[in-house]
């Protein structure tokens, strides 16, 4: 019985640490209402974001989960800063598609 309680506590502690370490993209993904969302998929997408996007980029991209229209606004923008972000965001999308599908 004690071993079971210890094992359960260890699993819950690991889960809490994992949740606390979830990145912005993962949290936005998990809170989205899209079909097929799982912790594993969102974690994979977060990993792709960690590889390809800065923290600032991740914050901006996380907003697209809440308001997908903003992605279109950025994509169509004439601002150089938006164009540079969009290049990195496209790479993120391609990386996530390759790793997580």
């Amino acid at each position: 019985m004690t071993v079971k309680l210890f094992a359960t506590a260890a699993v819950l502690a690991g889960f809490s640490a994992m949740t606390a370490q979830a990145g912005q993209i993962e949290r936005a993904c998990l809170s989205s209402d899209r079909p097929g969302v799982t912790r594993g998929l969102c974690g994979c997408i977060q990993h792709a974001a960690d590889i390809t996007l800065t923290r600032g980029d991740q914050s901006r991209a996380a907003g697209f989960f809440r308001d997908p229209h903003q992605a279109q606004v950025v994509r169509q923008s004439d601002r150089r800063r938006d164009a540079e972000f969009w290049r990195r965001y496209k790479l993120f999308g391609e990386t996530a598609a390759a790793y997580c599908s």
Side-chain angles (χ1 to χ4, degrees), residues 50-95:
D50 290 340
I51 294 169
T52 58
L53 299 175
T54 65
R55 281 186 173 209
D57 287 347
Q58 288 185 35
S59 178
R60 193 172 188 190
F64 296 163
F65 283 88
R66 288 183 299 282
D67 185 3
H69 176 69
Q70 286 306 307
Q72 185 70 4
V73 170
V74 172
R75 188 183 73 78
Q76 292 179 330
S77 171
D78 292 332
R79 294 175 41 194
R80 190 178 107 229
R81 179 176 174 258
D82 289 340
E84 291 168 355
F85 167 78
W86 194 254
R87 278 191 292 278
R88 293 186 302 273
Y89 184 75
K90 276 181 60 175
L91 177 60
F92 155 65
E94 291 164 0
T95 302

